[in-house]
Amino acid sequence: MTDQQTFSLDGKSIAFEDGDTIMDAALRSGEYIPHLCHNPEFKPHGSCRVCIVNVNGRHVSSCTFPASQDLKVESNTAEIKQKRQSLLQMLFVEGNHVCPGCEKSGACQLQAVAYYCDMLSPHFTHFFPRREVDASHHDFLIDYNRCIVCELCVRASNDVDGKQVFSIQQRGIQRHLAVNSDSGRLGDTSFSKTDKAAHVCPVGAILPKDIGYNQPIGHRLYDRQPISQVGDVAANDKTLQEEDTPHG
Amino acid sequence: MADINNLKNKLEKTRPEKIKLATTSLCGCFGCHMSFLDIDERILQLVELVEFDRSPINDIKKVGPCDIGIIEGGVANAENVEVLQEFRKNCKTLVALGACAVNGGIPAMRNQFELKECLEEAYINGVGIENPMIPSDPEIPLLLNKVHPIHEVVKVDYFLPGCPPSGDTIWTFLTELIEGRPISFPYEQIHYD
Ligand code: SF4
Ligand code: SF4
């Protein structure tokens, strides 16, 4: 047996295995690094940049950066927190996030990460883009106003469901989620509520219908405890398992 | 929670007059002001430390020189712009209170439409409208094309999100601000909804 390999995260020694990213090793040892487009069930994407850390003086995304012996990783510093706030603020102003009118509020990962990073204001000028709501599907709706283009639904539909329901179109500020059907509507695809893609959206963009405020505001996932303790939205979504379990 | 008597003694040593506080609601629903009143009997402690300038609570109509100005609501019409600029001119510290002041909130959902479409829906094509016409009395402030958060119009010193922020959040903020401490909130006191 070889000696345990470790790197340091904010001064703590973190064990890692060959092939781990910084994020993999941190998650395994129970250290929280804020993230949005990362879900340990999928191949890392490195696009939201919220998991930014300082590694030996360089800024990298911890979900894609390979762990290696004796790295010095800083995550919980004022400088990194400031950068994360700016990234989050940009995500908020480039969409339309009206939390008081969003069914996901209180159980939304964008919100929860923003709380964790002490974001009190959007700081930047709002884009107020005009975007659609697609309610054509029987069980789910898509509110494009809230999509942060994390591509988790795309990855889930491609890699797990084998359906390719979603894709990303265009580039830069025009980059957006699209539905692969002639009409562009979700109702005209084979998307189903038991798809993995129906249970990975970190925000209120892909939402189940007929649930609304069953879980009252004030009693939701992140209302009383921070995401560092509660974990990600997808990790707390038990609907798929419940449907697999026979009742009675 | 700050000990108000200690705080009062401390303040009396450093400044002879009470702290002046003004508040107003721009394009909001007065929910934030209702929440402010949710500090309940603590308002009696508060008035030991502060004197209210312009505020819906006392109906003073013009803002004078103040230490703290609290703004509820976003900026949706010409009058909102004027009042906000008056507050900025007069208040040493300006605070955005609540979702609408912080990011436009629910009223900013009209930004998805042209102003003309909104007016036509409300006054011409809507259900049950008699004598359809878009009001144009000069007494009525002109609407802006879009609703804006207040930081897009003036510099803002502090932001308190929430729809509305709770009475406890407002209390934490005011006591820590008056005490001159760095402001930090317990986890449950900050939420965007
Ligand atoms: S998706 Fe999240 S951040 Fe966006 S409006 Fe809904 S609760 Fe707020
Ligand atoms: S719909 Fe949700 S999962 Fe899909 S890209 Fe947008 S935010 Fe990510």
Side-chain angles (χ1 to χ4, degrees):
Chain A
M1 199 186 123
T2 52
D3 284 344
Q4 179 68 279
Q5 313 181 82
T6 61
F7 63 87
S8 107
L9 175 64
D10 294 325
K12 274 186 215 151
S13 170
I14 306 287
F16 69 94
E17 291 162 15
D18 288 336
D20 271 356
T21 61
I22 293 173
M23 178 70 81
D24 294 331
L27 284 176
R28 198 176 316 109
S29 59
E31 294 298 324
Y32 179 69
I33 299 176
H35 53 273
L36 288 169
C37 76
H38 184 66
N39 175 327
E41 292 184 62
F42 299 95
K43 209 168 150 274
H45 200 244
S47 61
C48 78
R49 313 311 286 178
V50 169
C51 70
I52 183 171
V53 289
N54 193 324
V55 173
N56 298 352
R58 268 177 67 200
H59 292 129
V60 302
S61 58
S62 51
C63 73
T64 52
F65 199 85
S68 63
Q69 185 63 32
D70 297 332
L71 280 186
K72 197 168 159 288
V73 182
E74 287 178 345
S75 171
N76 206 359
T77 65
E79 185 235 350
I80 293 292
K81 186 168 158 182
Q82 180 57 52
K83 291 218 157 26
R84 288 188 184 135
Q85 277 186 8
S86 300
L87 290 160
L88 291 160
Q89 285 162 331
M90 287 190 267
L91 286 173
F92 272 90
V93 302
E94 75 179 32
N96 293 303
H97 293 275
V98 190
C99 299
C102 177
E103 286 183 11
K104 193 73 178 179
S105 195
C108 164
Q109 199 161 323
L110 177 60
Q111 239 185 14
V113 171
Y115 295 165
Y116 180 84
C117 296
D118 295 332
M119 186 193 117
L120 293 179
S121 88
H123 182 78
F124 298 110
T125 300
H126 286 69
F127 288 27
F128 295 122
R130 295 208 176 148
R131 298 200 194 149
E132 301 289 316
V133 176
D134 173 358
S136 59
H137 192 275
H138 186 264
D139 302 313
F140 272 79
L141 62 86
I142 306 186
D143 188 337
Y144 290 100
N145 291 292
R146 304 170 186 150
C147 175
I148 56 169
V149 209
C150 69
E151 293 193 35
L152 276 166
C153 58
V154 181
R155 285 179 273 169
S157 189
N158 290 355
D159 305 349
V160 181
D161 307 325
K163 287 190 179 177
Q164 273 120 15
V165 169
F166 301 101
S167 61
I168 299 296
Q169 290 185 355
Q170 299 188 339
R171 291 189 171 272
I173 198 62
Q174 304 297 337
R175 185 166 164 267
H176 66 271
L177 180 70
V179 167
N180 294 327
S181 64
D182 289 341
S183 62
R185 281 149 50 99
L186 191 65
D188 298 326
T189 68
S190 60
F191 182 82
S192 115
K193 63 179 176 188
T194 53
D195 284 0
K196 186 71 180 169
H199 302 275
V200 292
C201 183
V203 295
I206 299 183
L207 271 183
K209 290 184 177 176
D210 304 322
I211 291 180
Y213 294 91
N214 283 359
Q215 179 84 13
I217 299 284
H219 294 85
R220 294 183 164 205
L221 193 55
Y222 304 119
D223 278 339
R224 283 157 206 274
Q225 279 186 302
I227 188 166
S228 53
Q229 286 166 32
V230 183
D232 294 349
V233 167
N236 280 278
D237 183 337
K238 302 285 187 286
T239 24
L240 277 181
Q241 282 123 284
E242 274 161 26
E243 272 168 18
D244 288 344
T245 327
H247 292 279
Chain B
M1 194 185 91
D3 181 328
I4 294 295
N5 282 331
N6 277 347
L7 194 48
K8 200 180 158 199
N9 291 339
K10 204 164 108 190
L11 283 174
E12 272 167 0
K13 285 199 197 104
T14 49
R15 48 179 297 156
E17 289 159 16
K18 279 187 177 178
I19 289 167
K20 277 209 157 184
L21 171 71
T23 78
T24 191
S25 180
L26 306 177
C27 186
C29 69
F30 273 89
C32 293
H33 273 81
M34 297 306 288
S35 203
F36 190 178
L37 295 179
D38 277 342
I39 66 173
D40 296 327
E41 74 281 2
R42 286 173 290 185
I43 199 156
L44 298 175
Q45 300 177 17
L46 188 65
V47 294
E48 294 282 325
L49 304 175
V50 309
E51 182 187 333
F52 278 88
D53 194 83
R54 170 180 169 154
S55 170
I57 294 172
N58 55 23
D59 220 20
I60 296 175
K61 302 287 189 215
K62 252 197 128 24
V63 61
C66 281
D67 298 289
I68 307 168
I70 295 182
I71 310 285
E72 165 188 339
V75 182
N77 66 34
E79 192 218 4
N80 295 156
V81 177
E82 205 180 300
V83 173
L84 180 58
Q85 286 175 337
E86 276 296 297
F87 264 72
R88 180 67 281 185
K89 232 179 276 162
N90 280 288
C91 304
K92 286 186 203 145
T93 300
L94 197 69
V95 185
L97 178 68
C100 302
V102 170
N103 61 28
I106 300 285
M109 290 174 89
R110 84 150 151 95
N111 295 352
Q112 292 294 305
F113 306 93
E114 295 295 328
L115 177 58
K116 191 161 173 282
E117 291 175 273
C118 297
L119 288 168
E120 284 173 355
E121 180 64 24
Y123 295 107
I124 296 187
N125 304 323
V127 181
I129 288 173
E130 282 173 35
N131 188 15
M133 58 161 207
I134 293 175
S136 62
D137 192 299
E139 288 279 310
I140 303 173
L142 284 173
L143 292 172
L144 306 184
N145 283 342
K146 280 192 159 64
V147 178
H148 296 273
I150 67 169
H151 75 269
E152 293 182 9
V153 181
V154 295
K155 182 183 183 299
V156 176
D157 302 298
Y158 291 97
F159 296 83
L160 288 190
C163 184
S166 69
D168 287 339
T169 308
I170 297 170
W171 181 251
T172 304
F173 173 75
L174 282 176
T175 48
E176 299 198 339
L177 179 71
I178 292 169
E179 222 177 329
R181 283 199 289 158
I183 296 162
S184 69
F185 300 90
Y187 180 78
E188 326 78 65
Q189 286 189 7
I190 293 298
H191 52 84
Y192 301 162
D193 56 19

